[in-house]
Amino acid sequence: MISITKSAAEKINEAVNQQNLEGKSLRIGVFPGGCSGGYQYALGFDEERDNDSSFESEGLKVIVNSDHVEKLNGTEIDYIKSEMGEGFRVNNPNPAPEGVKGECGCGSESSCC
């Protein structure tokens, strides 16, 4: 299950209305986090595909590639404002893989790790 806070839902709905994205769902992508491990996330609008799982939160449909559901289970999407700026924050309670020397999560074949 993936949840969206009220503040994030407001910003997402603003984007849907401003960009004429009716009928599209919020897609969350998860990717290896580079040399130091962890995850990186991508948020965007898309249509549901055959290999997707979907969730409802705050009146929004969220879609995720079914292969990534375990990595995102229990994740909360929030929208924060701070002295450093504002933006979406992905609060994922699942442990992310750590980077391993010589096995770079960024896909590099060099020895950057």
Side-chain angles (χ1 to χ4, degrees), residues 4-107:
I4 300 174
T5 65
K6 288 184 183 198
S7 60
E10 289 172 4
K11 286 295 183 181
I12 293 165
N13 282 322
E14 281 180 28
V16 167
N17 293 331
Q18 290 174 354
Q19 299 176 34
N20 195 21
L21 297 167
E22 297 297 326
K24 302 268 181 163
S25 301
L26 178 68
R27 177 175 294 279
I28 301 174
V30 59
F31 306 95
C35 301
S36 62
Y39 293 129
Q40 292 182 356
Y41 306 94
L43 302 176
F45 297 97
D46 200 2
E47 296 177 4
E48 191 169 356
R49 299 179 192 142
D50 289 340
N51 192 33
D52 286 336
S53 295
S54 64
F55 307 90
E56 295 275 338
S57 182
E58 290 295 321
L60 295 168
K61 184 175 183 181
V62 180
I63 53 178
V64 176
N65 181 302
S66 294
D67 295 337
H68 299 157
V69 170
E70 282 187 40
K71 295 175 187 173
L72 293 168
N73 191 31
T75 294
E76 175 191 70
I77 307 298
D78 195 7
Y79 190 84
I80 60 163
K81 294 180 181 180
S82 72
E83 295 172 1
M84 300 290 288
E86 60 185 83
F88 290 98
R89 178 185 298 178
V90 179
N91 299 314
N92 187 342
N94 301 300
E98 294 184 23
V100 177
K101 188 170 182 68
E103 295 179 12
C104 189
C106 67

